[in-house]
Amino acid sequence: MRWFLKIISLLAVLVSIVYLGHHSHSSQSTLQKIQKRGYLLWGSDAEGGAPYVFPDPHNPLKLIGFEQDIAGDIAKQLGVKAVQSQNAWDSLIPALERGDFDMAMNGIEITPQRSRKVLFSIPYYVYSEQLVVRKDNTDIKGMADLKGKRVGTLSGTVAAEMLYRMGGVNVKIYSGQVEPYQDLALGRLDAVLLDLPIAAYYAKPNPALKFAGPPVGEGLYAIAMRKGDAEFKQKIDSIIANLIRTGELKRIYQKWGIWNDNQKKLYDSAAQTGYVGLNESRSAPIAGFLPMLLKGAAITVAISASSMMLAIGLGLVLTLLRLYAAQPLSSLATAYVEVYRGTPLLIQLYILYYGLPNIGISLAPVMAAFLGLGMNYAAYESELYRAGISAVPQGQMEAALSLGMTRGLALRKVILPQAVRIALPGITNDFIALFKDSSLVSIIAMVELTKTYSILAASTLRFFQFGLITAFMYFVMSYPLSLLARRLERKLKGAK
Amino acid sequence: MISVRDLQKNFGDVQLFKGVSLEVEKGQAIVLIGPSGSGKSTFLRCINGLETFHGGEIIVEGTVLHPVGGNRPSRQDADEIRKVRRKTGMVFQHFNLFPHLTVLENIILAPVEVLGVKKEDAVRHARSLLERINLNGKEGSHPGQLSGGQQQRVAIARALAMKPEAMLFDEPTSALDPETVGEVLSVIRGLVEEGMTTLIATHEMGFAREVAHKVIVFDEGEIIESGPPEEIFTYPKKERTRNFLSRVLRL
Ligand SMILES: Nc1ncnc2c1ncn2[C@@H]1O[C@H](COP(=O)(O)OP(=O)(O)OP(=O)(O)O)[C@@H](O)[C@H]1O
Ligand SMILES: [Mg+2]
């Protein structure tokens, strides 16, 4: 009971550190850093990201979208290349604050709350909200008809705020921009209110849906930068002003079909080029997306294998501490195992990646994924070893000791080799589980197989085909391991 | 060469040994008999340092084991215990061979790792031991592939590989099929004839009578009688000895 209280208070301290802590940035300016490394790192979410930023259906390893174009232009003016950093949309601002990238550009609306946290550039797009309903719907013609209706939108957006402020609307909050339109088509929603570029890409090509009334509300998208990056902001502002003046922005917006008269508030000149629409994404051959999925699979394998190594090593250390170390150490090791087994892996990953920066420790996504999975599974491996060791008969240790061996030597040469043999099928099964759990690291900006799947599926709406292909890829990789585990189990039974 | 003086040993609140003493001369073969639960195994395990004890002392060739009760032995005590273990080889009822190692690896593990013997020398010695227990050709087998009698002979060879000055046997034939008992007993008999100091706990009365220089009768944690086998088996002085013998010999 007392150790339980200790753990609780430890957790409380941890949580308060995570939430109250503030952090600082290195003295080098962002502009200098960009020049030195040779590329501009910009944060955005390519999952369900069309037409902002999403994988090119013709070459899915490449990202396209109007923001991808803008980022490319900005980088060109800075004399460097643009590199996208993949992040969940909700976590763009925290990730910017922790210094994961130089700037965030992803349909981020200027709001008073956000202005308190970040520095906004001058706006690069005037967005408005578009109401979408089913084709057969006749009673919703505008915002005024929404009372008592089920209306879908995205979490944390201005559209959501508008709906809440109207009152009397049954607001359904989504985290992806594809799902609300799907639910609308299926009759689970009566209407969807989202930013016009989203509606233009996802809803317009859908024959089951139609726009209801003209766009409403008006707001500004701007690039978010860290407070204190004033010099960088000035540079970005002058670049955007330049893009507006030269008509480059208009060219981009027309190419993506999101140009409207509202944008005149930003500039006037005009030009016309090609544009990738949803129907094109939908019909591109599946084979073209395979390289991207294979790349995701390779990252999944690499992350799983390396964190399993960590789990196996750390698990052994934990077991030895628990079984043979003196008091404070052995209890600490036991507490480690209990805490890691008793809390969700997802929370552990969040704390590692988003929490630690608050106390000054900033881990790269790969590092956080490796440590997060490895440290979690170490707890499970430790349990397996402990079971393995206690399954070795007492007489083995006695025989080794009676031959003059020290405990350590007996452990190394006699007990552990037998314990490992006993634990091996379980370890193999855990590896399979870890392999599948590795999909969780997609929440910390790792683009592995599952994340690749959701990015592709959301930009092409082919959830089913890509889902089957991705599931098949996981299966092909994990099935041999299952066979191995079963063989090891049989061998162990045979040896007894 | 081994002296046990006033040995006291508790299991929890139960006192098993209330002061047991025994002197063993070099080359002597001592057989421990007595009813089940009388303390024979515990006595041998104390000498090998596998059990701690609460009073008295045990001296093996000048190395002294002190009582530490239920506590973990200090580093110095642990060193003494290891020294004693190197001088005494122990053979268990259930062999306790290392199942993941071959016969040869079982035998050379401790000489190489504990004594630092060169591997070639350890292997050569192991082969000569295998010849002596009549198991040459089995060095590559795993314990699981051997009969009980063969396993127990390997266990004896494993203990002998450390060149001990005394051997302790705790019911070495109790877990064996009757037809393999003989081969193990004949190996032990050979050791006794060569002059190895031996302590054997056993229920094999015929064997005890044949090889023992001295028979010790345990009952309820006490040595109730001791003497040459012909005396113990033909004219036991104590009523309890007579009862015990009549029970086991009738079986
Ligand atoms: N680890 C232990 N914990 C508690 N009691 C024990 C322990 N080991 C032995 N004893 C007790 O000590 C007494 C002596 O046991 P011991 O095994 O030495 O007898 P033994 O003479 O070898 O018997 P057997 O002929 O059955 O092998 C028994 O009463 C036993 O229950
Ligand atoms: Mg016994």
Side-chain angles (χ1 to χ4, degrees), chain B residues 225 236-244:
Chain B
E225 192 165 355
K237 292 195 201 71
K238 293 274 166 48
E239 178 74 31
R240 278 147 84 190
T241 310
R242 237 171 287 144
N243 284 343
F244 166 68

Side-chain angles (χ1 to χ4, degrees), chain A residues 425-456:
Chain A
I427 294 174
T428 315
N429 279 323
D430 269 4
F431 185 45
I432 297 170
L434 182 149
F435 179 69
K436 288 179 290 176
D437 274 357
S438 73
S439 65
L440 286 177
V441 306
S442 57
I443 60 128
I444 56 168
M446 281 293 297
V447 184
E448 38 64 76
L449 186 52
T450 296
K451 189 67 180 178
T452 308
Y453 159 69
S454 54
I455 289 174
L456 287 182

Side-chain angles (χ1 to χ4, degrees), chain B residues 112-234:
Chain B
V112 170
E113 298 288 340
V114 177
L115 301 179
V117 175
K118 271 217 256 26
K119 194 168 171 204
E120 307 91 80
D121 297 342
V123 168
R124 204 170 313 122
H125 186 208
R127 287 193 201 285
S128 75
L129 286 170
L130 281 172
E131 190 141 351
R132 180 158 156 198
I133 60 169
N134 238 334
L135 275 180
N136 30 359
K138 291 285 185 195
E139 49 273 307
S141 308
H142 279 268
Q145 300 166 313
L146 303 180
S147 75
Q150 290 173 325
Q151 288 191 54
Q152 192 60 298
R153 283 184 282 155
V154 173
I156 295 172
R158 179 176 70 176
L160 289 174
M162 293 295 283
K163 303 201 169 120
E165 300 182 35
M167 288 287 284
L168 313 174
F169 294 89
D170 186 7
E171 301 197 27
T173 57
S174 300
L176 299 181
D177 291 337
E179 63 264 32
T180 62
V181 168
E183 61 198 41
V184 172
L185 291 183
S186 83
V187 169
I188 300 174
R189 188 182 299 117
L191 284 174
V192 172
E193 280 165 6
E194 282 168 30
M196 172 67 77
T197 312
T198 38
L199 273 85
I200 311 164
T202 187
H203 291 285
E204 295 283 337
M205 293 306 150
F207 178 71
R209 192 168 190 160
E210 179 199 329
V211 300
H213 299 135
K214 186 172 170 185
V215 172
I216 308 256
V217 185
F218 266 92
D219 191 17
E220 290 175 1
E222 281 178 291
I223 296 180
I224 51 169
E225 192 165 355
S226 73
E230 32 319 334
E231 197 180 301
I232 301 284
F233 286 106
T234 23

Side-chain angles (χ1 to χ4, degrees), chain A residues 152-190:
Chain A
T153 189
L154 283 176
S155 76
T157 56
V158 169
E161 239 181 275
M162 282 170 66
L163 291 172
Y164 281 128
R165 252 187 284 126
M166 282 172 61
V169 180
N170 185 358
V171 184
K172 305 277 186 199
I173 293 294
Y174 290 79
S175 59
Q177 31 192 287
V178 178
E179 294 81 0
Y181 292 119
Q182 275 177 344
D183 279 1
L184 176 61
L186 292 172
R188 292 179 190 147
L189 291 176
D190 300 311

Side-chain angles (χ1 to χ4, degrees), chain A residues 74-150:
Chain A
I74 291 176
K76 206 189 292 168
Q77 307 242 356
L78 289 171
V80 294
K81 282 187 302 179
V83 174
Q84 188 253 13
S85 163
Q86 170 60 33
N87 287 267
W89 195 83
D90 306 2
S91 59
L92 280 172
I93 300 287
L96 171 73
E97 288 183 296
R98 47 178 270 152
D100 282 4
F101 38 77
D102 306 316
M103 59 181 225
M105 169 169 59
N106 207 196
I108 300 173
E109 306 105 331
I110 300 182
T111 60
Q113 295 101 300
R114 290 203 186 110
S115 300
R116 250 177 269 133
K117 284 189 166 175
V118 299
L119 213 50
F120 275 117
S121 67
I122 58 169
Y124 61 89
Y125 188 76
V126 182
Y127 72 88
S128 39
E129 309 295 345
Q130 179 62 54
L131 194 62
V132 174
V133 295
R134 268 187 308 283
K135 193 125 272 166
D136 55 18
N137 183 299
T138 49
D139 54 329
I140 301 178
K141 296 189 180 63
M143 298 290 285
D145 306 322
L146 291 180
K147 295 259 175 255
K149 297 286 198 281
R150 299 163 301 173

Side-chain angles (χ1 to χ4, degrees), chain B residues 11 16 34-43 51 93 170-171 203:
Chain B
F11 282 115
L16 176 62
S36 188
S38 57
K40 307 180 293 293
S41 299
T42 308
F43 187 73
E51 298 279 357
Q93 182 175 356
D170 186 7
E171 301 197 27
H203 291 285

Side-chain angles (χ1 to χ4, degrees), chain A residues 341-364:
Chain A
R341 292 200 315 158
T343 54
L345 176 54
L346 200 58
I347 298 297
Q348 295 165 16
L349 287 171
Y350 268 119
I351 291 179
L352 263 179
Y353 188 66
Y354 296 112
L356 286 186
N358 292 359
I359 55 168
I361 306 165
S362 180
L363 298 173

